Amino acid sequence: MDGGIVNSRVLKSAIDSGACGYLTVDLAALSRNYDKLSAIVAPTKTAAVVKADSYGLGADQVSKVLYGRGCRHFFVAHFIEALRLRPQLPGDATIFVLNGLLSGNEATCADGGIVPVINSLDQLQQWSQTARSLQRRLPAVLQFDTGMSRLGIPPEDRSAVATHLQASDDIDILFIMSHLASADEASSGQNADQLAEMRRVATEFPQYDVSFANSGGIFLGGDFHGVLARPGIALYGGAPTGGVANPMEAVVRLDVAVVQTRTVPEGARVGYAGVHVTKGRTRLATIAAGYADGLPRSLSDRGAVYYNGVRLPIVGRVSMDSTTIDISALPEGALSFGSMVEVLGDHQTVDDLARDAGLISYEILTSLGHRFHRQYR
Ligand SMILES: *Cc1c(COP(=O)(O)O)cnc(C)c1O
């Protein structure tokens, strides 16, 4: 690949749009990731988890592309995300709200044809009451807590839920679900524990299908698949399982402009608080992305960006709008004002950057800023 040509083309479009960085979302790679996951779980269906603006990549664009690949089940976390997404998708796409509804939102949810995930007996009773007052059956998903203690109906409320459902026919339960706490760790005993608990739930509610696996769960084997898998991070190219090669394709590329270069002598202090002191004569470049753009401050004096495959370490503290890198490994003059460096791309994955920052890929993706020019391919 001729990086010089690619970089000058990238630079031109960034300048055209007034941005100083270029976030590219590869929708073809996203589609291939969806197809790959679908093939693994088939005949189980594959939903798309598009919460937090599709992990920062754009819920509208991502959902439309995945709808085109046959996806009909879309999960968001907050009700407001469902309200925003609903008009973007055809009527045969179903949008599920993982966090359920806050009281007061029931009528809007019913009107919008949005499906709440019911996490408690109270919420079930409330939704039944809404159905009665609207004089029609309303759809819902029931989430059970199988050992994560986060969201879902706790074990002690299961029999009351079953009794409620027997007594009233106003809710149409589409399926039941639970969420895995350690699915990215294939060897964790918690996976088998949660599977056993989910099987107990399924025998108590035998009339309903089960949805269980997130991205990591898909790779734990068929026992975890149920009727509907719910991948998020794997669609967006993050590694679904720790400690093994990532089977997914990268979806995001981030190139950022150099806004200044300089050469400093040995002993120069770099950035806030002067925590980095140069050990010799050093060539530096300052790039136009900082923690407000999603480059975490924990990358201060850690991690790197790349230029034509050459690693350029981050030096000093990451600032709000800029970060300084050591470019001494490049030939003199290789980088100048306006050159583009790779933050995410062929040489650095989102998991690489997350590891250097002491974070997870989910945090990197959901934090990527909105000051870059976004391009969908
Ligand atoms: C976020 C979420 C998912 C998707 O998880 P990934 O690890 O990104 O695949 C699936 N189910 C629930 C309940 C979630 O909250």
Side-chain angles (χ1 to χ4, degrees):
M1 178 178 103
D2 187 331
I5 290 169
V6 169
N7 279 313
S8 55
R9 183 162 49 75
V10 166
L11 173 62
K12 185 168 184 313
S13 14
I15 285 174
D16 286 348
S17 70
C20 45
Y22 205 60
L23 183 72
T24 309
V25 179
D26 185 342
L27 295 172
L30 170 79
S31 295
R32 288 190 293 273
N33 284 342
Y34 181 79
D35 292 348
K36 180 167 199 166
L37 297 170
S38 302
I40 292 170
V41 301
T44 292
K45 291 201 168 94
T46 304
V49 177
V50 295
K51 62 193 181 189
D53 201 26
S54 282
Y55 294 39
L57 305 191
D60 292 358
Q61 291 86 346
V62 163
S63 302
K64 282 177 187 165
V65 164
L66 295 181
Y67 182 89
R69 301 306 298 176
C71 183
R72 294 294 178 269
H73 302 84
F74 298 86
F75 287 86
V76 295
H78 303 315
F79 182 55
I80 193 166
E81 300 181 289
L83 289 178
R84 288 172 181 157
L85 184 59
R86 186 62 277 179
Q88 305 296 324
L89 289 174
D92 65 339
T94 308
I95 301 175
F96 303 90
V97 182
L98 289 167
N99 282 6
L101 295 178
L102 291 173
S103 56
N105 287 330
E106 291 86 358
T108 320
C109 185
D111 284 351
I114 293 161
V115 180
V117 173
I118 302 280
N119 289 309
S120 72
L121 180 59
D122 278 358
Q123 289 168 22
L124 179 62
Q125 288 163 343
Q126 183 61 54
W127 195 229
S128 280
Q129 202 180 313
T130 306
R132 282 195 300 278
S133 67
L134 295 174
Q135 296 187 324
R136 63 184 170 97
R137 290 186 94 217
L138 290 176
V141 169
L142 293 182
Q143 172 157 229
F144 291 92
D145 177 23
T146 54
M148 189 175 180
S149 313
R150 183 180 74 169
L151 285 171
I153 296 159
E156 62 273 21
D157 287 350
R158 292 206 298 247
S159 66
V161 165
T163 306
H164 178 96
L165 292 172
Q166 274 153 18
S168 51
D169 188 38
D170 38 33
I171 304 296
D172 179 18
I173 305 292
L174 304 182
F175 52 88
I176 61 176
M177 62 171 275
S178 190
H179 189 50
L180 291 158
S182 300
D184 58 322
E185 258 184 82
S187 62
S188 168
Q190 197 175 9
N191 295 319
D193 291 348
Q194 285 196 262
L195 179 60
E197 184 66 6
M198 192 64 217
R199 285 184 164 147
R200 279 190 285 278
V201 175
T203 52
E204 291 169 37
F205 296 86
Q207 65 275 44
Y208 306 129
D209 291 328
V210 170
S211 170
F212 202 21
N214 65 335
S215 298
I218 287 173
F219 293 87
L220 292 176
D223 285 351
F224 290 84
H225 293 170
V227 297
L228 182 69
R230 304 187 311 272
I233 195 71
L235 291 171
Y236 311 119
T241 311
V244 298
N246 184 358
M248 312 314 298
E249 232 181 287
V251 172
V252 183
R253 181 177 175 93
L254 177 59
D255 297 281
V256 173
V258 169
V259 288
Q260 189 160 23
T261 57
R262 75 181 73 245
T263 302
V264 294
E266 180 184 342
R269 291 166 181 273
V270 182
Y272 279 121
V275 290
H276 184 96
V277 180
T278 53
K279 296 205 175 66
R281 188 178 148 83
T282 306
R283 276 184 291 119
L284 298 173
T286 300
I287 64 170
Y291 59 78
D293 302 292
L295 271 194
R297 217 168 145 272
S298 56
L299 284 174
S300 298
D301 250 341
R302 298 176 60 98
V305 303
Y306 287 79
Y307 182 77
N308 283 348
V310 179
R311 185 175 191 277
L312 307 173
I314 292 170
V315 289
R317 290 214 176 135
V318 173
S319 298
M320 182 190 289
D321 319 291
S322 60
T323 299
T324 303
I325 55 177
D326 183 340
I327 60 169
S328 305
L330 290 172
E332 193 127 13
L335 284 187
S336 56
F337 183 57
S339 304
M340 286 283 168
V341 297
E342 171 194 321
V343 177
L344 295 172
D346 297 337
H347 304 93
Q348 179 152 266
T349 67
V350 64
D351 285 284
D352 294 334
L353 194 69
R355 183 203 52 232
D356 287 343
L359 300 174
I360 58 174
S361 58
Y362 301 64
E363 291 174 279
I364 298 291
L365 288 181
T366 56
S367 305
L368 286 181
H370 298 275
R371 297 194 285 185
F372 304 122
H373 177 71
R374 279 181 179 231
Q375 177 172 301
Y376 291 89
R377 289 218 164 115

